[in-house]
Amino acid sequence: MNMSEQDPRPTVAPAAATAAHPGAAPRQHYPQPLLPMNMRNWTMVWYRNFMVWKKLAIPSMIGNLADPMIYLFGLGLGLGLLVGQVNGVSYIAFLAAGTTASSVMMSASFESMYSAFSRMHVQRTWEAIMHAPLTLGDVVLGEIMWAASKAVLSGMAIMLVAGALGYAQLPGALLALPVIVLAGIAFASLAMIVTALAPSYDFFMFYQTLVMTPMLLLSGVFFPLEQLPAGAQAATQVLPLAHAVALIRPIMLGRPVENLVLHLIVLGAYAAVALVVALMLLRRRLLR
């Protein structure tokens, strides 16, 4: 759970204050469009979250990087002595690319769930923002782009560490940056759907246990997909993390990418569809 980037000063909108005092006038909601008003307004939400995060940047970055680094060096160095090479490279180099992709999923998902839920439900920061000339679509897009930005930071940090140790081909590995951005948006959008449905923080454990953990184990992060039975290999084709790994790993290892267009289309479809679904669910939750 990544709670470090929450604003320590809760923002209470007039609507929230009304809800807290039954004797006050009833809260009013105003009709708002489903989509963002333009392509600029969401940057204000992004900037607001950045300014809060900047005060806690170092502990936040340590928290985001701890798990993937433990996987990388714990499993990479430990199992690497037993496994040897995988697909023509050392196991730790194979794992480094998969860990880069999985860290994007983890960072984007946790930010869109725990931190965004705090701003939406606990602090009611979203309600305060929507009293300005911003719509719910602006707020949600800003939150998703902020979560994707943190995912990019996490993924790039692991990539640079791997490259410095000789487990990734630099500077060619930097060509994976657009893929990391797209994957971050996709995972942040999917997690925002969970946030729209969540009654409390405990609800997120279901998504972590039933969706994220199986995806982590079945998407080629720790072992080649060819080791799975044929039926399981076919099932992995619907997992966004599998497509992210299939793009990031060959780029980091300096190899050609197979089915490039297919992987990009799948990740783009997850990002677009999940964003629309999240907006619809959040409008029903917040503006009814």
Side-chain angles (χ1 to χ4, degrees), residues 1 21 33 104 144 173 196 198 240 257 264:
M1 182 185 302
H21 301 283
V104 172
I144 288 174
V257 180
L264 292 175

Side-chain angles (χ1 to χ4, degrees), residues 69-95:
M69 287 298 183
I70 290 173
Y71 278 121
L72 176 60
F73 292 108
L75 293 178
L77 296 177
L79 288 179
L81 297 176
L82 301 175
V83 175
Q85 290 195 336
V86 177
N87 292 347
V89 297
S90 65
Y91 180 69
I92 190 170
F94 176 89
L95 182 62

Side-chain angles (χ1 to χ4, degrees), residues 108 111-112 143-153 180-181 184-185 188:
E111 180 66 25
S112 272
E143 289 283 353
I144 288 174
M145 296 305 293
W146 169 246
S149 299
K150 292 196 65 180
V152 170
L153 183 63
I180 292 175
V181 173
I185 295 173

Side-chain angles (χ1 to χ4, degrees), residues 46-67:
W46 186 97
Y47 182 72
R48 181 265 171 203
N49 291 343
F50 170 74
M51 293 302 292
V52 174
W53 171 83
K54 188 172 67 172
K55 302 174 183 177
L56 303 169
I58 294 178
S60 176
M61 291 175 62
I62 293 175
N64 286 335
L65 295 176
D67 278 351

